[in-house]
Amino acid sequence: MSNSVKTIYLKDYQAPDYLIDETHLKFELFENFTMVHAELHIRRNPDKQSDELPELVLDGQELELLTVVMDNVVINSNSYTVDDKSLTLQPNKNSFILKTTVRIHPETNTALEGLYKSNTMFCTQCEAEGFRKITYYLDRPDVMSKFTTTIEADQQSYPILLSNGNQIASGQEDDRHWATWQDPFKKPAYLFALVAGDLWCVEDSFTTMNQRKVDLRIYVEPENINKVNHAMTSLKNSMRWDEEVYGREYDLDIFMIVAVSDFNMGAMENKGLNIFNTSCVLARPETATDMAHQRVEGVVAHEYFHNWSGNRVTCRDWFQLSLKEGFTVFRDSEFTADMNSRTVKRIEDVAFLRTHQFAEDAGPMAHPIRPDAYMEISNFYTVTIYEKGAEIIRMLHTLLGKEGFRKGTDLYFERHDGQAVTCDDFVKALADANAIDLTQFKRWYSQAGTPQLEVLESYDSATKQYHLTFKQFCPPTPNQEEKQPFVIPVKMGLLNKQGQDLPLQLVGEGTLVGDVILITEAEQTFTFANVGEKPVPSLLRDFSAPVKLKFAYSKDDLLFLMQHDNDGFNRWDASQRLAIEAIQQQVVNYQAGNPMVLDSGLEKAYASLLADSSLDQAMVAEMLSLPAENYLVEISEVADPDAIHAARQFIRQQLANNLKGQFLTHYQANRAVSQQEAYRATADHIARRSLQNMALSYLMLTDDPQVLTLCLDQFKHSDNMTEQLAALTNLVNSPYESEKQQALVDFYEQFANDPLVIDQWFAVQANSQAGDSLARVVELMKHEAFTIKNPNKVRSLIGAFANNNLTGFHQKTGAGYQFLADQVLALNTMNPQIASRLLTPLTRWRKYDEERQQLMKAELERIMAADKLSSDVYEVVNKSLV
Ligand code: TRP
Ligand code: ZN
C-alpha cells in the first residue's frame, strides 16, 4: 500500500555495520531469466564497535532467492528471513564469505532500473538504488568494494560482453561464451554496469598527461555506427580539459560508452563503462540539431568528469547527491563555456535555472541542495540538486577566485580519494585550502527557496557618494518557515554616461573583492566614493548568485544597459527585463479586454540590435528571443496561460510586421552562408544558424507567401537538421494547413528509421499552437512509432505537451490535466521514475486561477486514490496535496 512509504532522514544516518571488500559476480543470461551468483567478502566495520555481532541486512528487491551459503555452509531458510525489501542473516564471525544465487527477469523489466533489456541488448542502471534489483547487497554508496564480474551468454546474440574495468579472461563453450572483467578501483554498487549485445564500436585513443595511452570505445547498435564521431571528439576534449583545468588524469587503460535506446535519464557514469541514452551520444548534422550536438558534448563531458567528482570521490549517502552532481554540472558548464561561447552558455543556463529551478523552489517539492528527508531518492535528481547545486559551486568559485578554487579542489581530491564523503567535507577542503570561514555560506546547502534581493539606490552629488541598499528575503518553503541571511556575492559595475565602468571605491562598511560585493546581512548598505555623476548600476553580473534581483530600472536604463554594459550576460538580462515589462503590460490589457499595444522602446531596441553589424550574432539571437512562456508563468503572481500566450504572441507579431525588412535581410544573408558552407557544430556556425532561424520564425508571422516559399525551401533543401527542423516547426505553427500536413508526412517518411528524429517529429506536434493539439497528441499515441515503454517517446510527446504547450495543457476544460493524469497512472507500475517526472506540471497548481487549481488538484486526488502507487508517484502527489 502506498501509505507504507517511509520517510528517510539525514539525521538518522548510521555508518554500515558491515563492509564488503570484494564482490565477485557471475551472470548467466538467458532469454527467459537470468541467474546471478554473488560472492561477497564481508567483514564488520571496524569503526562500529559493539560486543555482539549485529544482524546483516542486505537490500534486495524483486529477486527470487535460490541459495545462501556462508563460508561454504549452506544456510537453510529457517536461518534467514526474506521480505520484499531485504534478506536478514545472523553472522557468527567478524568476517566471512557469503554466496547467494538469485533468479531475475531482465526480459520483463519495464522500470529500466537494475538489469533490463533495451531492444535486443542487456544493460544496467543501478543509480541510485537499482543494484538491489540484481542481487542481495549493501546497496548504499558508503559501502565500496572491488568488483570482478563474469558474464556468460549466447555467443551469436550477444557477441559483446562488457563490465567495469579491464577484461581479464574470456572463453567459449558450445554456443555460449563468457568474459570476466575486473575493476581495480573500489566503488559503490551504484557504479556497477553490465552490457551484453550485438554491438559495433568506434575505437580511438587518448594519451594522458603522463603519456599513458587510453583505449576509447563507443559501442552502439550497428545502424548507428556513423553517428558517434561528435561524441568521440567531445570525449577527448573532456579528457584534456580535466587535465588542464583540474589536473585530473584518467585512471584506467580503457574507457567505454554504450548507447541504449531505453534509458530513464541522460546518461550514467558507471566506472569505465558509461551508459548513455542514445539521445546523448548520437549526432550527425543531417539528423541532430545544433542543440542536440551541444547536449551530446555536455553530457559526454559530464559523465566523464564524474570519474573524479563522483567515482574516485563519491557520496557518503544520497542526501549528499549534490556533492557529485552540483560540482559535476559546474565542471561541465565551464567546459562547454571554454569550448563554445561563454556568454551564450551562461545565458542558456540561467534561463533554464530561472524557468525550472525557481519554479521548483516555489512549489511543493522545494528542497535544499542537500535535502534532509526523502521518501524516494529517485525523485531528488532535480534541477535543484543539479543546476542550483552548480550555482552554489559557482559562487564558491567566485568567492575563492580561480586559483583559490583550484587549491581547494586539489585538497578535496587528495584528502578524499577513494572515500565516500559529505558536502561538509567538500566545503571544508575549500575552506582549509584558502584559510577562509565558509560557515555562513553553508546556509545555501540547508535552506531551500530562491532569495529575493531588493536593491535601492541613492546618489548625493554634493559628496559624490552613491549608496546601494540591499535587502534579502527568502520566502518560506515546505518545513522551512524562517531563513537566515545568505552570503550573496554580487558582481557589479557602475556605468557612467558614456557606458564605461567607473572604478569601484567602497567606503565604510562592507566587503568588495575585485568587482564583487558580499551581501551577508538581511539589510545592508554599501557606499561608493568619488562617483562624479549618477551612475547606472549593473548588478549581479554574470548572474553571480541564484537570486531574484529587484531594482527599479527605468526603460531608458535598460536600453542603455542593453547597449553599453560590458557584461554580456547583463546586456541580455536588460533585454529580457524590457521584454518582460512589455509583455506583462499586454497581459493586463488582454485581461481587461483592452487593445494590446507594442512598446515603442522594445521595438527600437530590437531595431538597433538588428542594425548593428558589429554585434556578436549569437548575442543578437539571444537578445531577440522573448522570454519563454514558462518563465512568464514562473514570474506571475497568478499565471493566466491564455493571456500570457496572447500577449507574447501579439508582441512577436508586431515586431515581425514592423521589422520585417531587417529580419529578411538577416535571414537571407545567413541562409546564403548556410547553403555555401559545410555544416559545422562550432560556436560561430551555431550562432549564425540560430540568428537565421530566429529571423525565420518572426518572418513566418507576417503571412507573406514569399516567406512561405523561403521556409519551404529551407525545409526541403537544407543539409542539416537544425535548418530542417526549424522550418518544420514554423510550418506546423503556421496557418498554411496543406503545406503543414505535407511537411509532416514528408519528414516522417524521410526519417521513419531514425527514432531520435521521430522524437523531434513528435515534439514539434506536441508543441503545436493549433487549437487541436491535445486531440493530436492522443492520436499520435496510437502511431506506429510511439510506445509508452520508451522514455524518450514519452518525453517527446506527452512530456513536451504538458511542459511546453501552455494553452493546450491548461485548456479550461481540464482535458489536458486529465490526459496527463491518465498517462501517469499508466506509467505508475510500468516505469515509476518516468511516471513521477511526468507529474511535475500538475504539482504547480498553486500558480493558476481558482478554477484551474481545482481541476489540477482533482487529478492529483484521482491519482492518490489509485491502487498500488509507487513510492515515486506517491511522494510527489502526497507533497503536492498538503
Ligand atoms: N548520475 C547520473 C548523472 O547525472 C544520473 C542518472 C542516470 C540517474 N540514470 C539515472 C539517476 C537513473 C536516477 C536514476 O549523470
Ligand atoms: Zn551527474
Side-chain angles (χ1 to χ4, degrees):
M1 263 304 286
S2 34
N3 52 13
S4 72
V5 178
K6 279 209 290 278
T7 300
I8 311 203
Y9 296 92
L10 170 56
K11 64 175 164 47
D12 294 341
Y13 173 82
Q14 294 271 341
D17 289 326
Y18 291 93
L19 303 176
I20 307 176
D21 293 319
E22 287 179 37
T23 301
H24 299 263
L25 302 170
K26 180 169 184 196
F27 291 80
E28 296 175 85
L29 305 176
F30 295 101
E31 293 312 309
N32 300 318
F33 64 94
T34 288
M35 302 292 270
V36 184
H37 308 276
E39 176 186 315
L40 310 179
H41 296 216
I42 301 179
R43 82 184 141 97
R44 283 188 76 181
N45 183 352
D47 296 342
K48 277 199 78 178
Q49 286 310 330
S50 64
D51 294 341
E52 273 163 57
L53 278 168
E55 283 186 328
L56 173 66
V57 186
L58 298 166
D59 305 296
Q61 277 174 23
E62 295 161 41
L63 307 172
E64 184 189 345
L65 180 60
L66 300 177
T67 59
V68 183
V69 177
M70 225 182 213
D71 282 339
N72 291 319
V73 180
V74 176
I75 310 290
N76 72 42
S77 57
N78 308 327
S79 307
Y80 59 76
T81 49
V82 190
D83 61 25
D84 59 351
K85 285 194 161 60
S86 57
L87 163 63
T88 305
L89 297 144
Q90 181 56 62
N92 52 22
K93 283 197 254 166
N94 278 320
S95 87
F96 51 91
I97 293 179
L98 179 74
K99 295 183 185 166
T100 61
T101 298
V102 299
R103 180 159 35 215
I104 57 176
H105 291 279
E107 72 282 358
T108 55
N109 178 351
T110 55
L112 313 185
E113 190 188 34
L115 179 65
Y116 65 95
K117 286 196 93 172
S118 176
N119 297 333
T120 59
M121 72 171 111
F122 286 91
C123 62
T124 51
Q125 173 53 43
C126 295
E127 188 177 4
E129 298 182 333
F131 192 75
R132 62 190 62 190
K133 293 178 161 187
I134 292 175
T135 192
Y136 285 104
Y137 205 75
L138 296 175
D139 189 6
R140 44 188 289 170
D142 55 357
V143 171
M144 300 173 79
S145 183
K146 198 169 147 178
F147 281 71
T148 308
T149 304
T150 299
I151 311 159
E152 186 211 286
D154 182 78
Q155 149 91 55
Q156 275 250 299
S157 307
Y158 308 99
I160 302 293
L161 306 172
L162 310 173
S163 190
N164 317 84
N166 307 305
Q167 188 175 317
I168 55 168
S170 64
Q172 171 130 25
E173 219 172 289
D174 302 324
D175 49 4
R176 292 181 72 77
H177 72 147
W178 58 271
T180 300
W181 291 78
Q182 187 165 61
D183 182 353
F185 292 93
K186 283 187 147 209
K187 66 167 174 290
Y190 84 87
L191 291 171
F192 170 79
L194 173 162
V195 168
D198 185 0
L199 303 170
W200 287 8
C201 91
V202 165
E203 244 188 297
D204 205 330
S205 71
F206 177 82
T207 305
T208 70
M209 59 204 233
N210 289 318
Q211 306 306 313
R212 278 193 313 104
K213 199 169 160 205
V214 180
D215 186 10
L216 309 178
R217 294 188 204 160
I218 302 183
Y219 287 92
V220 295
E221 287 161 296
E223 66 268 28
N224 293 325
I225 198 70
N226 60 354
K227 295 187 181 136
V228 297
N229 287 346
H230 183 64
M232 187 63 91
T233 304
S234 305
L235 175 59
K236 288 186 284 183
N237 288 340
S238 310
M239 295 177 87
R240 188 62 70 214
W241 189 89
D242 213 12
E243 292 183 346
E244 285 169 358
V245 180
Y246 284 86
R248 298 291 120 197
E249 186 183 22
Y250 186 62
D251 52 10
L252 284 164
D253 298 331
I254 176 168
F255 184 83
M256 297 175 282
I257 288 177
V258 179
V260 306
S261 303
D262 302 277
F263 202 72
N264 282 347
M265 306 271 283
M268 180 63 211
E269 69 264 23
N270 317 302
K271 184 79 187 189
L273 179 56
N274 288 358
I275 297 183
F276 273 59
N277 190 319
T278 45
S279 70
C280 297
V281 191
L282 307 178
R284 59 180 291 119
E286 308 86 83
T287 57
T289 60
D290 291 342
M291 240 210 315
H293 277 80
Q294 294 199 301
R295 171 121 178 102
V296 168
E297 179 181 60
V299 178
V300 166
H302 179 98
E303 306 311 331
Y304 175 73
F305 295 156
H306 269 315
N307 191 55
W308 277 96
S309 50
N311 301 0
R312 290 286 290 253
V313 183
T314 194
C315 302
R316 186 193 72 173
D317 56 75
W318 292 119
F319 297 100
Q320 318 296 329
L321 182 57
S322 200
L323 171 78
K324 73 176 177 82
E325 296 304 347
F327 186 24
T328 303
V329 171
F330 173 69
R331 278 150 57 71
D332 83 60
S333 63
E334 284 295 293
F335 165 76
T336 299
D338 284 345
M339 295 290 135
N340 302 280
S341 156
R342 176 162 286 272
T343 307
V344 170
K345 172 64 175 163
R346 191 67 189 132
I347 289 169
E348 289 168 356
D349 285 354
V350 173
F352 184 84
L353 185 87
R354 282 176 172 167
T355 304
H356 299 100
Q357 200 281 322
F358 285 13
E360 184 163 88
D361 256 348
M365 287 294 288
H367 53 279
I369 65 161
R370 183 188 54 216
D372 33 40
Y374 62 75
M375 290 180 183
E376 172 52 62
I377 187 57
S378 298
N379 285 331
F380 284 78
Y381 288 75
T382 59
V383 281
T384 299
I385 301 292
Y386 277 67
E387 275 73 22
K388 185 175 181 179
E391 293 299 322
I392 308 311
I393 306 299
R394 180 176 296 278
M395 287 192 285
L396 286 166
H397 187 275
T398 303
L399 292 176
L400 302 179
K402 199 173 160 209
E403 279 80 37
F405 187 78
R406 172 66 192 270
K407 268 200 279 172
T409 58
D410 281 352
L411 183 59
Y412 169 71
F413 289 126
E414 180 195 309
R415 240 185 216 175
H416 299 298
D417 189 10
Q419 298 175 8
V421 304
T422 62
C423 297
D424 287 337
D425 293 323
F426 179 82
V427 177
K428 187 163 193 311
L430 265 55
D432 289 354
N434 290 277
I436 175 181
D437 183 0
L438 292 169
T439 313
Q440 187 189 350
F441 183 85
K442 280 170 64 178
R443 288 177 188 159
W444 283 109
Y445 281 88
S446 55
Q447 299 187 145
T450 310
Q452 291 172 11
L453 188 60
E454 198 185 326
V455 190
L456 299 168
E457 65 172 352
S458 71
Y459 179 65
D460 183 346
S461 54
T463 59
K464 296 196 178 349
Q465 287 194 336
Y466 180 71
H467 311 277
L468 285 173
T469 297
F470 293 82
K471 291 183 197 170
Q472 57 166 308
F473 165 74
C474 186
T477 48
N479 303 318
Q480 285 190 348
E481 280 304 312
E482 299 286 327
K483 323 261 174 167
Q484 305 293 162
F486 291 91
V487 175
I488 303 177
V490 176
K491 197 174 165 197
M492 60 168 288
L494 299 175
L495 277 67
N496 67 13
K497 294 254 170 343
Q498 287 71 45
Q500 291 147 341
D501 273 354
L502 297 164
L504 298 178
Q505 259 184 280
L506 203 58
V507 289
E509 311 234 311
T511 314
L512 172 76
V513 187
D515 55 357
V516 178
I517 52 170
L518 283 188
I519 318 293
T520 55
E521 314 282 325
E523 182 170 341
Q524 212 167 350
T525 298
F526 292 78
T527 300
F528 298 89
N530 298 319
V531 183
E533 54 185 286
K534 182 172 182 290
V536 176
S538 169
L539 301 166
L540 211 67
R541 282 181 164 172
D542 204 30
F543 199 65
S544 59
V547 301
K548 293 184 180 177
L549 177 80
K550 294 197 172 166
F551 182 83
Y553 282 116
S554 70
K555 234 174 250 172
D556 287 341
D557 287 345
L558 292 174
L559 286 165
F560 178 79
L561 288 173
M562 244 179 104
Q563 291 188 6
H564 298 292
D565 200 324
N566 74 34
D567 182 65
F569 174 82
N570 266 5
R571 278 206 304 281
W572 170 79
D573 203 42
S575 76
Q576 295 294 292
R577 283 173 190 268
L578 209 58
I580 287 167
E581 243 179 74
I583 296 170
Q584 285 181 334
Q585 275 161 14
Q586 301 335 301
V587 166
V588 173
N589 281 336
Y590 178 91
Q591 288 171 328
N594 296 332
M596 296 192 278
V597 287
L598 172 63
D599 182 277
S600 62
L602 188 66
E603 182 182 329
K604 259 196 276 164
Y606 274 40
S608 64
L609 280 173
L610 286 163
D612 189 344
S613 58
S614 71
L615 293 176
D616 172 8
Q617 294 191 312
M619 281 298 286
V620 175
E622 292 292 345
M623 289 166 84
L624 289 177
S625 53
L626 295 175
E629 289 181 349
N630 274 341
Y631 182 53
L632 295 164
V633 168
E634 207 288 310
I635 59 177
S636 306
E637 219 29 75
V638 178
D640 178 341
D642 301 314
I644 286 172
H645 177 72
R648 186 174 181 280
Q649 200 56 21
F650 170 83
I651 288 182
R652 273 166 52 78
Q653 179 78 60
Q654 296 297 304
L655 289 168
N657 293 342
N658 299 358
L659 304 174
K660 184 175 169 193
Q662 283 178 289
F663 281 126
L664 194 58
T665 309
H666 276 275
Y667 176 74
Q668 288 177 316
N670 287 306
R671 170 76 177 135
V673 184
S674 295
Q675 286 169 306
Q676 285 151 21
E677 285 185 8
Y679 175 96
R680 287 177 60 203
T682 51
D684 53 331
H685 280 224
I686 291 174
R688 182 170 44 66
R689 282 186 293 271
S690 71
L691 187 52
Q692 174 191 329
N693 286 330
M694 174 68 54
L696 179 62
S697 70
Y698 277 104
L699 288 167
M700 278 293 279
L701 298 171
T702 60
D703 290 343
D704 177 343
Q706 192 210 334
V707 173
L708 174 61
T709 308
L710 294 175
C711 186
L712 284 169
D713 180 76
Q714 176 169 325
F715 177 69
K716 289 178 193 152
H717 306 294
S718 28
D719 63 353
N720 65 85
M721 186 50 68
T722 307
E723 287 184 277
Q724 197 176 356
L725 189 69
L728 178 69
T729 306
N730 278 303
L731 290 168
V732 166
N733 290 306
S734 79
Y736 307 111
E737 205 48 44
S738 68
E739 283 81 0
K740 159 182 166 174
Q741 297 309 339
Q742 194 57 49
L744 283 169
V745 169
D746 293 348
F747 191 89
Y748 184 76
E749 265 176 28
Q750 189 184 350
F751 295 109
N753 293 325
D754 194 326
L756 293 175
V757 183
I758 299 309
D759 290 345
Q760 301 306 305
W761 182 78
F762 280 125
V764 166
Q765 296 177 78
N767 293 339
S768 157
Q769 294 310 309
D772 63 343
S773 56
L774 175 56
R776 194 71 193 234
V777 169
V778 170
E779 213 34 53
L780 284 170
M781 284 186 65
K782 300 176 202 144
H783 193 279
E784 58 172 4
F786 184 83
T787 161
I788 200 166
K789 291 200 173 147
N790 176 269
N792 289 357
K793 291 282 175 286
V794 172
R795 280 185 279 259
S796 59
L797 189 59
I798 308 168
F801 173 74
N803 287 294
N804 305 330
N805 195 329
L806 191 63
T807 49
F809 179 62
H810 291 282
Q811 55 190 274
K812 277 261 174 186
T813 59
Y817 309 145
Q818 197 186 336
F819 166 76
L820 188 66
D822 287 343
Q823 307 321 314
V824 169
L825 287 169
L827 280 159
N828 169 55
T829 40
M830 211 183 286
N831 187 332
Q833 288 180 10
I834 297 296
S836 163
R837 271 168 198 280
L838 212 50
L839 265 169
T840 307
L842 280 176
T843 68
R844 306 279 155 81
W845 58 268
R846 278 188 182 82
K847 263 283 166 212
Y848 299 92
D849 55 85
E850 186 61 34
E851 242 172 283
R852 287 190 171 94
Q853 288 199 3
Q854 293 309 325
L855 292 164
M856 294 172 92
K857 270 199 288 189
E859 294 305 325
L860 288 168
E861 274 152 10
R862 182 160 71 91
I863 295 171
M864 196 53 150
D867 267 357
K868 299 206 181 115
L869 280 191
S870 59
S871 51
D872 309 60
V873 171
Y874 176 80
E875 175 172 35
V876 175
V877 177
N878 178 57
K879 289 182 176 170
S880 301
L881 285 172
V882 290

